[in-house]
């Protein structure tokens, strides 16, 4: 009876201990997931805060490689919104090094797809395709679970951007539409609403470029619906820019200005050089169209200032990428040189061993001949 009581006490203690540990783990997991979701959702509205929360998430998730990778991608994405491409690549490659070691294929696909997207933003299509193809190959050999199918949408979307740059909207449109469909069918988190909005906006841009203004308007309005679900003000402002451009083509410059002024006010705290630049340019053109030279000049100056910032950031990032590529090529040449040195050393040692063996055989053979001659001499003396 005493033994039974002791076992019961031990069992009860075990339940309390492991139950408490599980409860603590579950609470920590919930906190990490909440922080990750919050940081992802605010990336486009407040990239600086998203970066801050992403770094906090990274520190908290010390023993969780997958969460750390997600945190680093959030940080990199925040810097992408801010057009700080140096930092984007720094954190993306840090995430990739963790993904390689952890061997969690879904994380590797996510990171490779993100890096491909960043190289596309820098107009380095061949580098972008290299990473996207790697991501695609892994997704084929290790199929994605339903909750992560949206990653295929990311790959399709970036390929669409590359096609648009290289061949135009006629070739890109199918990729954007496929990406949008994947996103819509796999909204596993609030952040995917932003992906739908971005894809819809790009489809709208292509339809606008192809002068199908009716469809373009539908695309921009649909993008606003999805962006509003997560209060993605940057995405909404981009859609409003598209709608304003349609109004401009119809000669409704006053209406276009109203939308643009509202859009620029909504993102005054976002600090996105790209979208600011485009809205300033459109405002300048619309004010010029109605003969308001003062405001036209004002927004032209603001547009040029933003362009200078944009070019400066991209030039700095491209220089870093070029330097990295040069450094990579130097390392490759050094590795190749070392490889040849090792080969020469190996073959040198082999050749030396062959020579030693041959010399040894020659010496042995000569010794044998010498001994044979000595035996013949002794034999001839004995006969005498």
């Amino acid at each position: 009876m005493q033994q039974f009581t002791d076992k019961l006490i031990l069992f009860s203690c075990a339940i309390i201990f492991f139950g408490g540990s599980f409860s603590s783990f579950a609470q920590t997991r919930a906190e990490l997931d909440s922080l990750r979701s919050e940081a992802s959702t605010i990336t486009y509205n407040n990239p600086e805060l998203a970066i801050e929360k992403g770094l906090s998430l990274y520190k908290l998730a010390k023993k969780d490689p997958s969460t750390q990778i997600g945190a680093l991608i959030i940080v990199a994405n925040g810097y992408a919104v801010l057009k700080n491409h140096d930092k984007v690549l720094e954190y993306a490659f840090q995430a990739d090094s963790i993904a390689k070691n952890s061997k969690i294929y879904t994380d590797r696909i996510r990171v490779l797809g993100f890096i491909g997207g960043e190289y596309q933003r820098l107009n380095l299509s061949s580098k972008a395709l290299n990473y996207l193809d790697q991501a695609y190959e892994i997704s084929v050999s290790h199929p994605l679970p339903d909750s992560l199918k949206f990653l295929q949408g990311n790959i399709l979307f970036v390929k669409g951007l590359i096609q648009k740059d290289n061949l135009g909207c006629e070739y890109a449109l199918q990729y954007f539409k496929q990406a949008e469909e994947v996103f819509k069918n796999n909204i596993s988190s609030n952040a995917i609403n932003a992906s739908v909005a971005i894809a819809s906006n790009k489809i709208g841009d292509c339809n606008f470029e192809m002068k199908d203004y009716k469809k373009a308007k539908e695309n921009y309005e649909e993008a606003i619906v999805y962006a509003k679900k997560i209060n993605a003000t940057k995405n909404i402002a981009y859609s409003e820019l598209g709608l304003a451009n349609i109004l401009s083509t119809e000669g409704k410059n006053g209406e276009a200005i109203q939308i643009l002024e509202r859009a620029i006010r909504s993102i005054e705290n976002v600090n996105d050089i790209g979208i600011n630049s485009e809205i300033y340019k459109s405002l300048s053109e619309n004010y010029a169209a109605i003969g308001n030279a003062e405001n036209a000049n004002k927004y032209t100056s603001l547009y040029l200032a933003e362009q200078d910032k944009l070019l400066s950031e991209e030039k700095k990032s491209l220089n870093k990428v070029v330097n990295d590529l040069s450094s990579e090529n130097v390392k490759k040449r050094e590795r190749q040189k070392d490889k040849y040195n090792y080969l020469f050393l190996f073959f040198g040692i082999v050749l030396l061993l062959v020579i030693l063996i041959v010399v040894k055989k020659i010496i042995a053979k000569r010794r044998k001949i010498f001994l044979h001659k000595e035996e013949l001499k002794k034999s001839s003396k004995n006969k005498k």
Side-chain angles (χ1 to χ4, degrees):
M1 184 65 182
Q2 182 62 40
Q3 287 181 344
F4 175 77
T5 305
D6 290 344
K7 287 181 180 178
L8 183 61
I9 292 169
L10 286 171
F11 180 68
S12 300
C13 288
I15 289 175
I16 292 168
F17 176 75
F18 289 113
S21 298
F22 178 78
S23 175
S24 175
F25 171 79
Q27 184 178 1
T28 302
R29 177 77 266 164
E31 288 173 357
L32 290 175
D33 289 343
S34 175
L35 183 57
R36 182 173 180 170
S37 176
E38 183 185 358
S40 299
T41 303
I42 64 172
T43 300
Y44 296 100
N45 298 338
N46 193 338
E48 289 94 347
L49 184 58
I51 290 167
E52 183 183 323
K53 288 185 178 293
L55 291 171
S56 298
L57 178 62
Y58 175 76
K59 289 176 184 175
L60 288 171
K62 289 179 181 177
K63 296 181 181 179
D64 187 344
S66 189
T67 301
Q68 282 194 318
I69 290 164
L72 291 169
I73 290 298
I74 289 167
V75 174
N77 208 21
Y79 279 117
V81 172
L82 295 172
K83 300 293 186 294
N84 189 335
H85 300 289
D86 292 349
K87 290 290 185 182
V88 175
L89 290 171
E90 177 187 332
Y91 285 101
F93 282 123
Q94 188 179 339
D96 191 39
S97 66
I98 297 173
K100 281 179 185 175
N101 293 329
S102 70
K103 295 183 179 177
I104 300 172
Y105 298 110
T106 51
D107 287 335
R108 191 85 208 283
I109 293 166
R110 177 187 284 115
V111 176
L112 290 170
F114 182 86
I115 294 172
E118 176 58 17
Y119 277 122
Q120 188 281 326
R121 281 190 284 270
L122 292 169
N123 296 317
L124 297 169
S125 297
S126 60
K127 292 280 287 182
L129 285 171
N130 175 39
Y131 283 94
L132 292 171
D133 289 341
Q134 286 183 61
Y136 179 75
E137 286 169 13
I138 295 172
S139 73
V140 170
S141 54
H142 302 279
L144 292 164
D146 289 342
S147 61
L148 294 173
K149 286 281 178 66
F150 70 88
L151 292 176
Q152 291 179 339
N154 293 346
I155 296 170
L156 288 166
F157 180 77
V158 179
K159 284 194 171 186
L161 293 174
I162 293 169
Q163 291 290 346
K164 185 175 184 292
D165 289 342
N166 294 340
L167 300 171
C169 275
E170 293 84 354
Y171 295 90
L173 201 52
Q174 60 175 323
Y175 288 99
F176 290 143
K177 286 181 177 178
Q178 288 172 24
E180 183 189 43
E181 186 177 353
V182 171
F183 292 140
K184 284 181 177 178
N185 292 334
N186 296 279
I187 298 181
S188 54
S189 70
N190 280 337
I192 308 301
N193 284 294
S195 298
V196 178
I198 292 167
S200 295
N201 276 329
K202 287 300 176 186
I203 294 169
D205 288 346
C206 274
N207 281 324
F208 179 83
E209 188 177 307
M210 296 162 69
K211 300 189 187 311
D212 193 339
Y213 302 127
K214 183 180 178 182
K215 282 187 180 178
K217 184 180 179 184
E218 291 171 0
N219 299 139
Y220 293 132
E221 287 174 345
E222 183 179 33
I224 290 172
V225 170
Y226 280 91
K228 279 185 174 179
K229 291 181 181 181
I230 55 169
N231 193 32
T233 52
K234 180 197 164 188
N235 297 132
I236 294 168
Y238 191 95
S239 302
E240 289 177 333
L241 170 64
L243 292 171
N245 288 338
I246 293 170
L247 289 169
S248 298
T249 62
E250 297 171 350
K252 300 175 181 176
N253 304 101
E255 292 179 45
I257 288 168
Q258 287 179 356
I259 292 176
L260 292 166
E261 292 281 10
R262 182 175 70 237
I264 201 65
R265 285 195 301 272
S266 71
I267 58 168
E268 60 185 355
N269 296 321
V270 173
N271 191 28
D272 186 311
I273 300 171
I275 185 68
N276 285 347
S277 175
E278 291 188 54
I279 293 176
Y280 289 148
K281 183 173 183 287
S282 188
L283 277 165
S284 172
E285 291 170 350
N286 277 284
Y287 273 117
I290 62 172
N292 188 329
E294 183 182 349
N295 276 323
N297 291 333
K298 169 189 168 184
Y299 285 110
T300 298
S301 298
L302 289 169
Y303 164 70
L304 292 173
E306 292 295 305
Q307 281 292 295
D308 283 343
K309 289 182 198 173
L310 189 61
L311 289 171
S312 176
E313 286 293 334
E314 290 185 349
K315 183 180 177 182
K316 185 171 68 174
S317 300
L318 282 170
N319 285 338
K320 186 176 187 304
V321 171
V322 169
N323 289 335
D324 288 344
L325 289 173
S326 299
S327 176
E328 188 178 320
N329 288 333
V330 168
K331 287 178 182 176
K332 280 183 181 177
R333 286 197 295 272
E334 287 176 352
R335 285 196 294 268
Q336 196 75 5
K337 185 179 176 182
D338 290 340
K339 181 180 175 183
Y340 287 130
N341 287 339
Y342 288 132
L343 284 172
F344 284 133
L345 181 62
F346 172 74
F347 286 120
I349 292 170
V350 170
L351 182 61
L352 182 61
L353 288 172
V354 169
I355 291 170
L356 288 172
I357 292 167
V358 170
V359 169
K360 188 177 179 182
K361 285 185 176 180
I362 290 171
I363 293 170
K365 195 169 185 180
R366 285 182 177 179
R367 181 175 177 77
K368 191 175 181 182
I369 292 170
F370 174 77
L371 292 172
H372 185 61
K373 283 181 179 180
E374 289 296 314
E375 286 179 7
L376 286 174
K377 283 180 183 179
K378 288 179 182 180
S379 178
S380 63
K381 283 180 182 179
N382 290 335
K383 283 179 182 180
K384 289 180 181 180

